[in-house]
Amino acid sequence: MTENQRVAIVTGGSRGIGRAVAERLAADGQAVVVGYAGNQAEAEAAVETIGKAGGRAVAVRADVAEPAAVGALFDTAEQRYGGVDVVVNAAGIMILSPLAELDLDALDRMHRTNIRGTFVVAREAAGRVRAGGAIINFSTSVTRLHLPAYSAYAASKAAVEAISPILAKELRGRDITVNAVAPGPTATALFLDGKSDQQIQQIAGQNPMQRLGRPEDIAEVVSTLAGPARWINGQTVYVNGGAA
């Protein structure tokens, strides 16, 4: 590891936006710990891509809702790279249903990953991130778009928007920023699965930019919050091309 190299943990880093974030932070010069829930092949592929581009990365399996697993994730970052400067909590699940038809087991699954997982990761980060660091949680622009079938998912992410500014104030004097990023509709498997081409085109056409977001669009904002943007703190940054 090069002297003064920053170290980032990215949960949900094996696919979609999380993977784009991991690759972008590595390209920015950070050593990256790619946290993943179950898809080892995808996680190792992300590490390989980062390595081929000249970066440093390792994949670690961790259920974000389990404190022991998250602690081991941070242990790996400290033991392998010397510490933790940036934590990007991109792990999340989305199950869509009209509220009147909602399977409460699905609600509990989203609560476990999206809310409990954010608390567990943020709690660990609060004790381990070094001065000058950043904690970046993930919300969604659906909290403003109010789309049918998204009530349970949006509710779980609204909790993330509540957590982040409070933690920013609780870390007063530590020189650690805490923000949430709220992507709009983005071309990832999480968003595209179960939607017809017509639905996707309709959603893309509603955006002033006339397209869906790309994972790289979101990663660009995370890169800024993870590095030079020291005066953005306790905020939710909506990254959606003007959709909301």
Side-chain angles (χ1 to χ4, degrees):
M1 187 180 72
T2 59
E3 187 176 357
N4 298 324
Q5 183 177 33
R6 285 167 73 82
V7 180
I9 293 173
V10 182
T11 71
S14 65
R15 302 177 66 200
I17 292 172
R19 178 164 177 172
V21 167
E23 292 178 2
R24 173 59 185 264
L25 294 183
D28 291 343
Q30 300 201 39
V32 179
V33 177
V34 177
Y36 69 98
N39 197 325
Q40 182 176 356
E42 291 279 5
E44 294 293 350
V47 168
E48 182 178 2
T49 297
I50 290 170
K52 286 181 176 178
R56 296 170 62 85
V58 62
V60 178
R61 184 170 184 168
D63 179 345
V64 293
E66 290 296 332
V70 170
L73 183 67
F74 279 74
D75 289 343
T76 298
E78 291 177 344
Q79 292 163 7
R80 189 167 183 122
Y81 299 124
V84 181
D85 300 287
V86 173
V87 175
V88 182
N89 197 16
I93 61 173
M94 179 173 67
I95 303 170
L96 304 183
S97 169
L99 191 151
E101 302 168 14
L102 179 65
D103 181 342
L104 293 180
D105 287 341
L107 176 65
D108 290 343
R109 286 177 58 199
M110 284 189 283
H111 184 286
R112 185 178 188 278
T113 297
N114 299 353
I115 301 179
R116 177 185 166 99
T118 297
F119 269 102
V120 172
V121 173
R123 186 177 68 170
E124 198 72 29
R128 302 230 210 174
V129 170
R130 296 184 288 204
I135 300 169
I136 302 162
N137 296 318
F138 264 74
S139 180
T140 173
S141 289
V142 176
T143 56
R144 289 186 174 181
L145 292 172
H146 307 142
L147 300 177
Y150 281 82
S151 61
Y153 177 69
S156 73
K157 290 300 190 176
V160 175
E161 294 189 20
I163 294 164
S164 301
I166 293 173
L167 180 58
K169 291 183 178 181
E170 290 175 348
L171 296 180
R172 175 185 298 273
R174 296 269 306 278
D175 190 22
I176 297 170
T177 61
V178 185
N179 293 290
V181 171
T186 304
T188 66
L190 181 70
F191 176 77
L192 298 175
D193 284 353
K195 294 183 176 68
S196 67
D197 289 343
Q198 182 178 3
Q199 287 175 311
I200 294 168
Q201 290 172 7
Q202 181 181 11
I203 293 169
Q206 292 170 348
N207 192 294
M209 304 298 285
Q210 295 287 283
R211 66 173 176 86
L212 295 178
R214 295 183 291 261
E216 294 76 13
D217 295 324
I218 317 305
E220 181 176 34
V221 175
V222 173
S223 171
T224 301
L225 295 174
R230 302 306 302 164
W231 205 236
I232 302 174
N233 191 22
Q235 307 300 311
T236 297
V237 182
Y238 287 84
V239 190
N240 56 36

